[in-house]
């Protein structure tokens, strides 16, 4: 469900990913040969090849990826089967013949599924600082985090003499009728995060009524972020008619003109996302997989995350772009659900939403 180029394309970038001859439709059948699980207590496996499986918004600079390959001596291949939902689905489908050795990009909306399906080895990095352990998950190491929030085109609101909304309830007010574009939680990662925000705020018994109120107030629901942000949204590069869009708290840092941004995130509407790395069960290079997790926590990678992955680095004292303090602040009280709640109810909530709203 996540990010087939839907997330964080605020600046142009080339994504350098080697698919090693695998077509997307053939991934399930063409993974690494099935491996016998190593006996408990045996030495970790190691080969000269390392395959990294990511979502398709993974965009670390090529020089950092080249440095990792040079420093470790591994021949590194990057495989990107799709957005986060597709990534997890492919890893589950191919767990007896895994696509690679290590994964980056499973987030907290899908972490419980990855763990329950048995696709991961029990490994979390000891390099994670204590200050970042609030984001910890079993079998996974947090790498970055950020907030999914409604964004507003401030120039549009100024021109109309209309106050920018601030809360979820504001979005159902008739004065904001036909102004909002959202994304489908069954096909979009931000959409899924926003659905969780509405469940956290309105409860399992009230979130569908809230979505009905949004639709009655003219909210449009697109299939993905790119369509919503760049086609229907009036701000940023969009020429659309709607000045409210589901995006990220960091998005306004990429609509800066001089000393101001043309957009703002509504921090009272945010759901916090955390992205993880983990070692895949069945890896033939467990040593290399662990090294890649450590690499993702290195100062160089953490410093590159904001301007390349458009998320906050999980190591809290990592320098941030100068504009972020002003234009990309995090929500002080993001709407949250526990991993247990998400794991137990995610699929049913999506089915219920699709039947009632989609």
């Amino acid at each position: 469900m996540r990010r087939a180029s839907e997330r964080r394309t605020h600046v142009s970038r080339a994504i350098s990913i080697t698919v090693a001859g695998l077509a997307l439709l053939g991934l399930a059948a063409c993974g690494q040969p099935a491996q016998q699980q190593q006996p408990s207590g045996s030495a970790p496996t190691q080969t000269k090849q390392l395959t990294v499986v990511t979502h398709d918004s993974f965009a670390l600079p090529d020089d950092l990826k080249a440095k990792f390959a040079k420093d470790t001596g591994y021949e590194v291949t990057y495989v990107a089967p799709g957005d986060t939902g597709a990534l997890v689905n492919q890893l589950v489908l191919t767990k007896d013949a895994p696509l690679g050795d290590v994964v980056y990009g499973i987030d907290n909306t899908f972490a419980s599924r990855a763990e329950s399906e048995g696709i991961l080895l029990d490994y979390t990095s000891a390099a994670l600082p204590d200050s970042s352990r609030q984001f910890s998950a079993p079998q996974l190491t947090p790498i970055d985090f950020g907030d999914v929030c409604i964004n507003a085109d401030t120039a549009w609101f100024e021109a109309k003499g209309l106050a920018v909304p601030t809360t979820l309830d504001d979005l159902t007010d008739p004065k904001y009728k036909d102004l909002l574009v959202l994304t489908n939680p069954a096909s979009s990662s931000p959409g899924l995060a926003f659905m969780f925000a509405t469940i956290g705020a309105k409860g399992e018994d009230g979130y569908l009524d809230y979505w009905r109120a949004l639709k009655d107030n003219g909210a449009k629901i697109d299939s993905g972020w790119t369509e919503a942000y760049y086609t229907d949204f009036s701000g940023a590069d969009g020429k659309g008619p709607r000045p409210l869009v589901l995006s990220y708290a960091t998005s306004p840092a990429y609509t800066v003109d001089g000393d101001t941004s043309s957009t703002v995130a509504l921090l009272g509407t945010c759901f916090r996302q955390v992205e993880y790395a983990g070692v895949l069960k069945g890896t033939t290079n467990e040593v290399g997989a662990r090294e890649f997790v450590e690499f993702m926590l290195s100062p160089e990678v953490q410093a590159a995350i904001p301007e390349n992955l458009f998320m906050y680095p999980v190591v809290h004292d990592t320098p941030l772009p100068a504009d972020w303090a002003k234009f990309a602040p995090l929500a002080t009280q993001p709407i949250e659900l526990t991993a247990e709640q998400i794991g137990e109810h995610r699929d049913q909530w999506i089915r219920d939403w699709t039947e009632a709203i989609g």
Side-chain angles (χ1 to χ4, degrees), residues 130-141:
D130 289 341
S131 59
S132 302
R133 295 195 179 274
Q134 59 181 306
F135 300 120
S136 293
Q139 300 182 315
L140 289 163
T141 297

Side-chain angles (χ1 to χ4, degrees), residues 24-324:
L24 176 59
L25 294 178
L27 283 173
C30 300
Q32 294 180 351
Q35 302 295 324
Q36 295 293 324
Q37 300 304 308
Q38 61 188 51
S40 177
S42 63
T45 57
Q46 186 174 23
T47 68
K48 292 184 177 180
Q49 287 75 40
L50 182 73
T51 300
V52 180
V53 189
T54 76
H55 58 55
D56 57 3
S57 291
F58 180 71
L60 277 188
D62 288 343
D63 60 338
L64 282 180
K65 291 189 286 188
K67 182 178 185 300
F68 173 76
K70 180 179 179 181
D71 289 349
T72 61
Y74 297 128
E75 180 183 329
V76 185
T77 298
Y78 293 87
V79 174
D83 61 24
T84 295
L87 167 65
V88 174
N89 287 338
Q90 287 290 337
L91 292 175
V92 170
L93 288 172
T94 61
K95 64 183 179 181
D96 293 329
L99 296 178
D101 304 291
V102 61
V103 59
Y104 161 78
I106 296 174
D107 72 3
N108 54 321
T109 67
F110 280 96
S112 58
R113 184 176 182 219
E115 292 157 0
S116 65
E117 291 285 354
I119 65 174
L120 299 164
L121 289 179
D122 289 323
Y123 176 74
T124 56
S125 174
L128 186 70
D130 289 341
S131 59
S132 302
R133 295 195 179 274
Q134 59 181 306
F135 300 120
S136 293
Q139 300 182 315
L140 289 163
T141 297
I143 302 299
D144 55 58
F145 69 99
D147 291 337
V148 175
C149 318
I150 301 298
N151 279 214
D153 175 358
T154 53
W156 188 97
F157 282 95
E158 289 173 5
K160 298 294 184 181
L162 184 62
V164 174
T166 59
T167 68
L168 291 175
D169 288 339
D170 286 346
L171 301 177
T172 64
D173 189 314
K175 67 185 178 184
Y176 301 113
K177 187 174 178 65
D178 298 329
L179 302 187
L180 174 64
V181 56
L182 300 168
T183 54
N184 189 322
S187 59
S188 159
S189 173
L192 183 60
F194 185 71
M195 186 186 77
F196 289 157
T198 64
I199 293 169
K202 303 298 180 181
E204 189 173 358
D205 295 329
Y207 83 101
L208 291 177
D209 287 338
Y210 175 75
W211 277 88
R212 292 185 184 99
L214 288 175
K215 287 199 74 176
D216 289 344
N217 206 38
K220 184 182 181 186
I221 301 172
D222 287 341
S223 61
W225 180 88
T226 299
E227 178 186 357
Y229 196 86
Y230 286 109
T231 300
D232 287 322
F233 184 43
S234 62
D237 297 330
K239 306 298 182 184
R242 294 175 181 259
L244 295 169
V245 66
L246 181 63
S247 195
Y248 296 84
T250 54
S251 298
Y254 298 93
T255 58
V256 173
D257 183 9
D259 294 329
T260 62
S261 176
S262 62
T263 64
V264 65
L266 312 186
L267 298 183
T269 67
C270 301
F271 181 85
R272 183 146 297 167
Q273 260 181 342
V274 183
E275 293 188 311
Y276 300 94
V279 178
L280 291 171
K281 186 175 290 186
T283 173
T284 57
N285 189 355
E286 184 178 346
V287 172
R290 292 183 179 188
E291 288 180 291
F292 186 82
V293 175
E294 306 300 319
F295 165 68
M296 293 297 290
L297 287 175
S298 67
E300 296 88 350
V301 171
Q302 289 286 296
I305 283 172
E307 292 187 330
N308 291 275
L309 301 180
F310 306 99
M311 296 285 271
Y312 273 79
V314 77
V315 178
H316 78 281
D317 57 353
T318 301
L320 296 172
D323 285 344
W324 276 37

